[in-house]
C-alpha cells in the first residue's frame, strides 16, 4: 500500500475543506482526482505530504504515519515528489543547480553524481539543452518539465501532481502531459489533480471525483467515464467533456 487515508478531515476555522476522506492507493497505481474548483482536491493532495496538516483521521504514506513527528515527515518527503501548478523553481539558480540541490543536501549525493543524474533526467523530459539556463529564460512548459525532473532527482516512490498544466498556455500542455504519460507507463505511483480528462482516460487506473470536500465517486477509469454512478459526477463530466 503506497498511501492510505482513513476518515481524514481538514478544517480552516469553521470551514471544512475535507470531510471524512477514505482513500487507498496501491504501489504503481495511477489515481486521478478531479472535481469543481473548491472541492478539496488540492487540499487533499497537499495533506499527503503534509504541506497541509490534516485536522483528524489518519494518513499513512509508504508505511509511515503522518502524525506531526518531524522524523516521519522527513522520511516521507524523501520518497514523495511533488509537482505544483506554479513550478516553484529557484529563479536565481540555473536549471542544473535547481535539480542537484535536493539530492546533495537531503540524500548526501556527490555533486558529480547529482549532475550526472540531473542531466540524464533533463534528457528524459526532452530539454537537455536547457541545463545551464535560468528559469526565466524557459517557456512555461519547459519550466514544468524541469519541475518534474527536479522531483525525479530525489528518486521518489510516489509522485504527486497538483494541477500541473493549469498555469500553462494551451500549446504547452501536451508537452508536459506527454512526459507524465511516459512516467505512468514506467510504473510510477502517481496521484494527480487535473482537469485534463483526455490525459486521465489514457493513464488512470482509478478516478476520484470530489465535490464540497467529499469523495463523491471512486471507480476504475473505464467505468468512471463510460458509466458513472453518481448524478453529480455525470453532470461534471458532461460539462467538462463538452468543452
Amino acid at each position: 500500500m503506497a498511501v492510505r487515508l482513513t476518515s481524514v478531515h481538514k478544517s480552516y476555522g469553521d470551514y471544512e475543506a475535507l470531510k471524512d476522506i477514505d482513500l487507498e492507493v496501491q504501489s504503481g497505481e495511477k489515481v486521478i482526482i478531479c472535481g469543481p474548483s473548491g472541492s478539496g482536491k488540492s487540499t487533499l493532495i497537499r495533506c499527503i505530504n503534509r504541506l497541509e496538516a490534516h485536522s483528524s483521521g489518519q494518513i499513512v504514506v509508504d508505511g509511515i504515519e503522518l502524525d506531526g513527528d518531524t522524523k516521519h515527515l522527513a522520511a516521507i518527503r524523501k520518497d514523495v515528489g511533488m509537482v505544483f501548478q506554479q513550478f516553484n523553481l529557484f529563479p536565481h539558480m540555473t536549471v542544473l543547480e535547481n535539480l542537484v540541490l535536493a539530492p546533495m543536501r537531503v540524500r548526501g549525493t556527490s555533486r558529480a553524481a547529482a549532475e550526472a543524474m540531473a542531466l540524464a533526467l533533463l534528457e528524459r523530459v526532452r530539454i537537455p539543452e536547457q541545463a545551464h539556463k535560468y528559469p526565466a529564460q524557459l517557456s512555461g512548459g519547459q519550466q514544468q518539465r524541469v519541475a518534474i525532473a527536479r522531483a525525479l532527482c530525489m528518486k521518489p516512490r510516489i509522485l504527486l501532481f497538483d494541477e500541473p498544466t493549469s498555469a500553462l498556455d494551451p500549446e504547452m500542455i501536451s508537452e508536459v502531459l506527454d512526459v507524465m504519460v511516459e512516467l505512468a507507463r514506467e510504473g510510477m505511483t502517481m496521484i494527480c489533480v487535473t482537469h485534463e480528462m483526455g490525459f486521465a482516460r489514457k493513464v488512470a487506473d482509478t478516478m476520484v471525483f470530489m465535490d464540497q470536500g467529499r469523495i463523491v465517486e471512486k471507480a476504475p477509469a473505464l467505468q468512471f467515464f463510460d458509466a458513472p454512478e453518481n448524478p453529480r459526477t455525470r453532470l461534471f463530466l458532461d460539462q467538462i467533456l463538452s468543452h
Side-chain angles (χ1 to χ4, degrees):
M1 183 74 61
V3 178
R4 186 176 72 245
L5 290 82
T6 309
S7 302
V8 170
H9 288 256
K10 171 65 181 175
S11 299
Y12 300 96
D14 293 335
Y15 175 67
E16 275 194 292
L18 297 177
K19 305 168 189 172
D20 201 28
I21 298 292
D22 291 315
L23 182 65
E24 292 187 350
V25 180
Q26 305 295 331
S27 294
E29 189 175 6
K30 287 64 170 163
V31 175
I32 303 289
I33 303 173
C34 62
S37 296
S39 59
K41 309 181 300 292
S42 289
T43 302
L44 173 59
I45 210 161
R46 289 170 69 86
C47 283
I48 292 173
N49 69 346
R50 212 173 171 83
L51 290 172
E52 300 274 1
H54 55 293
S55 305
S56 64
Q58 185 185 53
I59 300 177
V60 178
V61 179
D62 231 8
I64 301 169
E65 184 173 356
L66 276 174
D67 54 7
D69 186 315
T70 52
K71 286 181 184 171
H72 288 178
L73 181 58
I76 285 168
R77 291 252 172 99
K78 279 185 179 180
D79 288 332
V80 179
M82 180 99 177
V83 179
F84 301 88
Q85 292 181 35
Q86 299 293 344
F87 324 135
N88 291 13
L89 301 172
F90 293 112
H92 62 289
M93 293 182 173
T94 65
V95 166
L96 188 61
E97 288 167 341
N98 266 281
L99 266 60
V100 301
L101 183 66
M104 289 171 61
R105 284 200 179 169
V106 179
R107 292 201 181 274
T109 308
S110 71
R111 175 169 285 277
E115 287 191 356
M117 177 171 60
L119 291 169
L121 286 168
L122 288 173
E123 188 84 46
R124 185 172 172 186
V125 299
R126 305 190 202 113
I127 44 170
E129 71 286 353
Q130 309 296 348
H132 301 293
K133 291 185 181 177
Y134 289 87
Q137 296 174 282
L138 275 55
S139 71
Q142 289 171 331
Q143 288 187 62
Q144 193 60 293
R145 283 187 279 166
V146 171
I148 293 171
R150 181 181 59 181
L152 292 173
C153 271
M154 287 295 286
K155 299 181 179 173
R157 289 208 274 269
I158 302 164
L159 263 183
L160 309 177
F161 295 87
D162 186 8
E163 301 202 33
T165 59
S166 65
L168 300 179
D169 292 332
E171 66 269 20
M172 295 175 185
I173 289 173
S174 64
E175 64 190 47
V176 173
L177 293 179
D178 287 348
V179 169
M180 293 171 64
V181 168
E182 285 178 16
L183 288 173
R185 287 175 178 159
E186 289 166 13
M188 174 68 73
T189 306
M190 295 167 64
I191 306 174
C192 180
V193 172
T194 186
H195 288 300
E196 299 292 339
M197 292 297 104
F199 164 75
R201 276 184 187 269
K202 199 177 288 186
V203 306
D205 298 308
T206 303
M207 293 294 301
V208 173
F209 175 67
M210 293 186 67
D211 192 24
Q212 298 182 342
R214 297 185 186 277
I215 292 179
V216 174
E217 186 155 355
K218 174 178 176 280
L222 197 62
Q223 177 187 323
F224 182 88
F225 285 109
D226 292 349
E229 292 181 357
N230 192 289
R232 184 69 190 86
T233 311
R234 288 199 292 274
L235 178 63
F236 175 80
L237 286 174
D238 285 346
Q239 289 173 334
I240 203 164
L241 295 175
S242 63
H243 288 294

